[in-house]
Amino acid sequence: MKNKLSVALLLGITVSMTSCASMFTGTKDKISFTSNPEGAKVFHKGIEKCITPCVAEIPRSLSKQIVTFEKEGYNSKEVKLTKTFNPVTLLNILLGGAIGVGIDAAAGSLTKYSPKTYNVELDAAQQEAVQQ
């Protein structure tokens, strides 16, 4: 009986310290980026992630996330990545308690990016008049 109680207690502690959303859905999302014209560099937090058309892994975060599209001869364009609630977090609320939810919040797993595809139209940069 004592052995079963110890196992149950250990299992309870383990479950209460899990971070369900982080474990089941990870801490990054793969997002597709396309642009017109193609060949734009995609930057996230100042780091080049890929060149369109492409797929890049973007870490989840509770803060606002912006990607920038840049191509020579075109105006750069910033796009805010939109997020939705990650329903796996509900498992954590039910099973993991405050510690698990805290871990998910720190890892950004309370949310997920949606949509997973962004298509951007780049505008041609204005050519300055050449002075003679």
Side-chain angles (χ1 to χ4, degrees), residues 31-40 42 50-55 69 77 79 116-122:
I31 302 177
S32 297
F33 299 103
T34 57
S35 64
N36 187 16
E38 293 181 346
V42 179
C50 59
I51 297 175
T52 62
C54 59
V55 175
F69 291 76
K77 190 165 203 173
V79 175
K116 301 266 197 240
T117 301
Y118 290 85
N119 185 24
V120 171
E121 286 285 327
L122 296 174

Side-chain angles (χ1 to χ4, degrees), residues 46-99:
I47 299 169
E48 183 180 329
K49 291 295 192 174
C50 59
I51 297 175
T52 62
C54 59
V55 175
E57 277 193 343
I58 305 294
R60 293 185 191 150
S61 174
L62 294 179
S63 64
K64 179 171 77 170
Q65 298 297 306
I66 304 283
V67 292
T68 305
F69 291 76
E70 293 181 4
K71 182 172 175 76
E72 191 172 326
Y74 293 85
N75 295 323
S76 63
K77 190 165 203 173
E78 289 187 344
V79 175
K80 179 183 172 190
L81 301 179
T82 57
K83 296 176 275 190
T84 58
F85 178 71
N86 188 353
V88 177
T89 300
L90 295 175
L91 284 174
N92 220 0
I93 293 169
L94 296 173
L95 301 175
I99 294 172

